[in-house]
Amino acid sequence: MNQELHYVQQFYELSIEFLTNYSFQIIGAVIIVTIGWFLSKYIYTVLIRFFSTHDFDATLGKFAANVVRILVFGAMFIIAIGKLGISIAPFVAAVGAIFLTAGLALQGTVANFAAGISLVITRPFKLGDTILVNKVYGIVEEIKLGYTTLRTEDEELITIPNKNMIGEVIVNSFDYRIVESSVGISYNDDAEKAIELIKRVIDAFDSLSGENKAVVGIQKFGDSAVEIGMRYWVPTRSYFKTQYEVNMAIYKALNDAKVTIPYPQRDVHIYGEKTL
């Protein structure tokens, strides 16, 4: 019992001595950390407000504000450690080693973030645009620093890592997507009449692009038919639906106008053996 009381007395004396010698340093360090915390939050709020009023990209602005906040708080924390009399050189070296190890382990993620920053700065597309990248089509739903999300007509979400978009060919067709199609008519029919009829049918659809008019003409001369090519722009969100409706309208219009859509034809010549 006496030994335990002796240990408690020693602990009490050491605590009093520590507080006496380092109380001001501890209070100063706590004050510095507290100031750093509130200062970093204040700077973050100011930067977010500044970026929003100057039409800065929201994703990049938030990322930059977070980086500045972390740097400010980290600097104040290091100052607080120095206030306690602790050497910050080993601490800085340890933090550097940790960041180096994390960077090597997460190099794919770091590459995605770097690519995301590049996309936000260069802005090859924006929210709501229709893009084709790596043979994937969709409407840009969300642009994050690590990935970009596309939404298809079937309400599917496609997530593409940003590193797979940098250095690739990106086709941006904005709100519309082009339809390239064709229909064959008989060589005996009037091609000019068929072209005019198809163009009137396509132009009758109000949902198509008003800026890019449909282009209709002879695409090629096939073995069995004259191929009439069609190129027109439809809303991305109803790409297949609109294309199918246009095809049905063209089919009905050609039938009503007695324009023949021929079957594939082949001329077969049979040569028999000569009789002696």
Side-chain angles (χ1 to χ4, degrees):
M1 186 65 177
N2 293 332
Q3 188 175 5
E4 293 177 355
L5 290 175
H6 178 69
Y7 287 147
V8 171
Q9 182 67 27
Q10 283 186 332
F11 177 76
Y12 175 75
E13 292 176 356
L14 288 174
S15 299
I16 294 297
E17 182 181 356
F18 178 79
L19 291 175
T20 302
N21 295 330
Y22 297 100
S23 57
F24 290 105
Q25 288 90 331
I26 294 173
I27 294 172
V30 171
I31 292 174
I32 291 173
V33 170
T34 304
I35 293 174
W37 173 259
F38 286 104
L39 180 63
S40 63
K41 289 185 66 176
Y42 175 75
I43 292 176
Y44 173 82
T45 304
V46 170
L47 287 176
I48 290 295
R49 190 181 302 118
F50 174 81
F51 291 144
S52 62
T53 55
H54 288 75
D55 195 25
F56 202 74
D57 185 86
T59 304
L60 185 58
K62 189 174 182 180
F63 174 76
N66 272 315
V67 170
V68 173
R69 181 176 66 173
I70 293 172
L71 290 176
V72 170
F73 181 73
M76 298 297 285
F77 184 76
I78 291 175
I79 293 174
I81 291 177
K83 188 70 176 176
L84 292 174
I86 301 174
S87 176
I88 64 173
F91 178 77
V92 173
V95 171
I98 292 172
F99 274 103
L100 177 61
T101 304
L104 293 175
L106 302 174
Q107 54 184 336
T109 303
V110 173
N112 283 329
F113 273 83
I117 294 174
S118 177
L119 288 176
V120 171
I121 293 175
T122 58
R123 294 188 178 185
F125 52 82
K126 63 181 185 301
L127 296 179
D129 284 352
T130 301
I131 65 171
L132 167 65
V133 57
N134 284 326
K135 299 181 179 180
V136 176
Y137 244 119
I139 299 173
V140 180
E141 181 87 0
E142 193 175 29
I143 305 173
K144 294 291 188 180
L145 289 177
Y147 60 88
T148 298
T149 303
L150 307 182
R151 184 178 293 274
T152 67
E153 182 180 351
D154 300 322
E155 295 300 321
E156 298 173 329
L157 286 178
I158 303 174
T159 301
I160 305 176
N162 285 334
K163 67 179 182 180
N164 292 336
M165 304 183 77
I166 296 298
E168 297 292 335
V169 176
I170 300 177
V171 179
N172 187 351
S173 54
F174 303 98
D175 296 329
Y176 294 91
R177 184 178 171 187
I178 192 168
V179 174
E180 296 181 284
S181 183
S182 65
V183 61
I185 65 171
S186 172
Y187 277 95
N188 295 325
D189 291 320
D190 187 343
E192 289 184 350
K193 174 185 173 183
I195 290 172
E196 185 63 29
L197 177 62
I198 293 173
K199 196 172 188 309
R200 284 203 307 269
V201 171
I202 296 175
D203 291 340
F205 281 80
D206 296 332
S207 60
L208 303 187
S209 172
E211 298 180 1
N212 302 305
K213 295 297 183 181
V215 178
V216 183
I218 296 177
Q219 180 173 317
K220 67 177 181 179
F221 299 98
D223 295 334
S224 306
V226 178
E227 297 288 338
I228 305 299
M230 300 166 281
R231 302 180 82 249
Y232 54 94
W233 294 82
V234 304
T236 306
R237 293 191 180 275
S238 58
Y239 175 80
F240 292 104
K241 177 178 178 293
T242 305
Q243 182 182 1
Y244 298 158
E245 291 175 352
V246 170
N247 287 344
M248 178 57 72
I250 291 174
Y251 177 76
K252 290 181 178 179
L254 292 177
N255 275 342
D256 294 341
K258 307 301 182 184
V259 176
T260 305
I261 302 177
Y263 294 103
Q265 301 176 19
R266 293 289 185 272
D267 291 333
V268 179
H269 300 273
I270 300 177
Y271 298 95
E273 294 183 1
K274 292 183 180 180
T275 58
L276 296 176

